[in-house]
Amino acid sequence: MAIPVLFHNKLSLPVICAPMFLVSSPKLVISACKNGIVGSFPTFNTRTQDLLDSWIEQISTELDAYAKSNPEKPVAPFAVNLVVHPSNTRLEKDRAVVKKHQVPFVITSQGNPAQVVEEVHQWGGIVFHDVIRADHAKKAIAAGVDGIIIVTAGAGGHAGEINPFALVREIREFWDGPLALAGAINDGYGVRAAEILGADFSYMGTRFIATEEAEVEADYKSMLVSSEIKDLIYTDTFTGVKCNFLKPSIARAGVDLESFQAKSHVDLDLGESNAWKDFWSAGHGVSGIKQVLPMKALVQQLKNEYQGAVEMPAFTTKSS
Ligand SMILES: Cc1cc2nc3c(=O)[nH]c(=O)nc-3n(C[C@H](O)[C@H](O)[C@H](O)COP(=O)(O)O)c2cc1C
């Protein structure tokens, strides 16, 4: 296990509530951290740097006050997600806000994290970079990141295509630092399984959309409860990058799935529909979502399942 000092005695489970475009808000982040799992959000969820500034201020202030008045409880640090791809025109300005607040934990995606790493290390913060392949992980390690997040097949959002069993073991051949695993981890059994495989953290997105604290349309949450893996489509049609979307959300937006599947993303007429806003994403873990829960109850459920998994007997050739 390679859990950075930042998290020592601050986690109730080795879980990160992953950053989700148009989903993660201060309410979701704060509720995650108060329950001992890392909350995070992408800077893109704030339209302006002023709003980013006020979100970080609100999250820090509320968590500091909560930690002071509940010294016996593990209160997790929060993370901000920066897209470091050269096409991100707001990166410089977002970085300035992150620097102003000396955000303790930064998650970078898509691109070279070297400059962000250098900056965040100046105030003692840490940077995890998300990757979908081992060669990307090697580049991120060369850039000095403190941790790697592996986004594997079946994840919500822009999912990778590689099997988690294969990719964790491949990356563990050259990286013994902090490792988070993403991709359809939906319960405490999955969290324990990820650890056994060699990951230090589970990076879970979809499951947290079906919480009372997630500020998304109620229909999105009910769709998560009623959907199964067969209701997902893995396509680059809407965003140009392969992503898992809920088919019922595509139908709900008035797009005919039959004709949509027959066309390419070049000539598809989406009318007034807007990717991410109208087409809702979910990972393969969606089958395991049976109800919308308050964050506190969900984390307790994850803890119970995790404990159940820890106590499971391992295989033995001796008959009992
Ligand atoms: C609706 C949605 C939006 C997402 N937006 C982002 C994002 O803005 N940045 C990012 O790095 N990952 C994003 N992701 C991916 C998650 O951070 C995480 O890798 C993924 O949800 C893990 O897989 P799971 O949903 O199966 O648990 C998104 C995922 C979902 C479901």
Side-chain angles (χ1 to χ4, degrees):
M1 298 289 281
I3 304 273
V5 176
L6 175 68
F7 305 108
H8 288 186
N9 303 318
K10 291 188 177 158
L11 299 181
S12 58
L13 273 178
V15 170
I16 297 168
C17 176
M20 290 179 282
F21 185 50
L22 301 185
V23 174
S24 315
S25 65
K27 191 174 175 182
L28 188 68
V29 172
I30 290 167
S31 66
C33 297
K34 282 184 176 175
N35 284 287
I37 63 171
V38 178
S40 66
F41 70 94
T43 57
F44 288 169
N45 282 5
T46 59
R47 276 186 323 282
T48 62
Q49 277 72 38
D50 281 349
L51 190 59
L52 176 61
D53 186 68
S54 78
W55 275 28
I56 298 176
E57 182 69 34
Q58 182 194 347
I59 293 167
S60 315
T61 311
E62 225 176 289
L63 290 179
D64 284 350
Y66 187 79
K68 279 198 187 90
S69 50
N70 296 276
E72 75 295 348
K73 286 194 180 161
V75 179
F78 70 97
V80 171
N81 172 221
L82 290 170
V83 170
V84 291
H85 193 268
S87 63
N88 179 8
T89 51
R90 55 178 283 177
L91 179 60
E92 289 290 311
K93 288 180 185 161
D94 286 351
R95 272 172 53 185
V97 181
V98 167
K99 185 175 181 178
K100 175 185 165 195
H101 290 277
Q102 308 210 329
V103 171
F105 183 19
V106 174
I107 293 169
T108 50
S109 349
Q110 302 169 37
N112 185 343
Q115 277 187 313
V116 172
V117 168
E118 198 185 329
E119 195 162 72
V120 173
H121 283 175
Q122 283 167 15
W123 62 80
I126 60 171
V127 178
F128 282 18
H129 187 71
D130 83 14
V131 302
I132 55 168
R133 296 190 340 217
D135 56 326
H136 294 170
K138 283 183 180 164
K139 282 188 188 153
I141 292 162
V145 297
D146 305 281
I148 296 289
I149 298 161
I150 314 180
V151 184
T152 62
H158 291 151
E161 303 203 23
I162 302 180
N163 178 290
F165 282 89
L167 195 52
V168 170
R169 297 317 305 162
E170 187 179 4
I171 291 178
R172 271 299 181 221
E173 281 179 25
F174 57 84
W175 173 247
D176 63 1
L179 197 63
L181 176 61
I185 301 176
N186 197 57
D187 57 27
Y189 295 95
V191 175
R192 180 65 186 138
E195 282 183 330
I196 290 173
L197 196 55
D200 302 295
F201 298 93
S202 286
Y203 196 73
M204 298 169 57
T206 303
R207 184 61 190 90
F208 291 109
I209 308 174
T211 55
E212 286 181 4
E213 289 82 357
E215 296 179 279
V216 299
E217 283 185 52
D219 279 359
Y220 191 175
K221 297 183 189 182
S222 359
M223 204 176 280
L224 290 170
V225 172
S226 60
S227 295
E228 299 170 3
I229 300 175
K230 67 170 175 47
D231 299 312
L232 296 176
I233 181 164
Y234 184 56
T235 178
D236 59 3
T237 300
F238 304 127
T239 65
V241 181
K242 285 272 179 71
C243 180
N244 281 307
F245 285 102
L246 288 157
K247 289 183 202 168
S249 73
I250 298 170
R252 182 181 177 275
V255 175
D256 177 45
L257 202 61
E258 295 288 310
S259 58
F260 153 75
Q261 280 170 314
K263 293 179 179 180
S264 79
H265 70 276
V266 181
D267 65 354
L268 182 72
D269 178 10
L270 297 177
E272 295 297 307
S273 281
N274 200 330
W276 292 106
K277 185 173 168 293
D278 293 327
F279 310 130
W280 296 331
S281 179
H284 289 184
V286 71
S287 293
I289 300 178
K290 309 293 180 203
Q291 61 184 141
V292 177
L293 289 171
M295 179 65 80
K296 189 175 177 186
L298 175 57
V299 173
Q300 188 55 52
Q301 184 175 300
L302 293 173
K303 280 158 78 174
N304 295 344
E305 292 161 349
Y306 178 85
Q307 198 50 40
V310 166
E311 288 162 14
M312 268 186 188
F315 170 75
T316 170
T317 51
K318 287 184 198 152
S319 53
S320 53

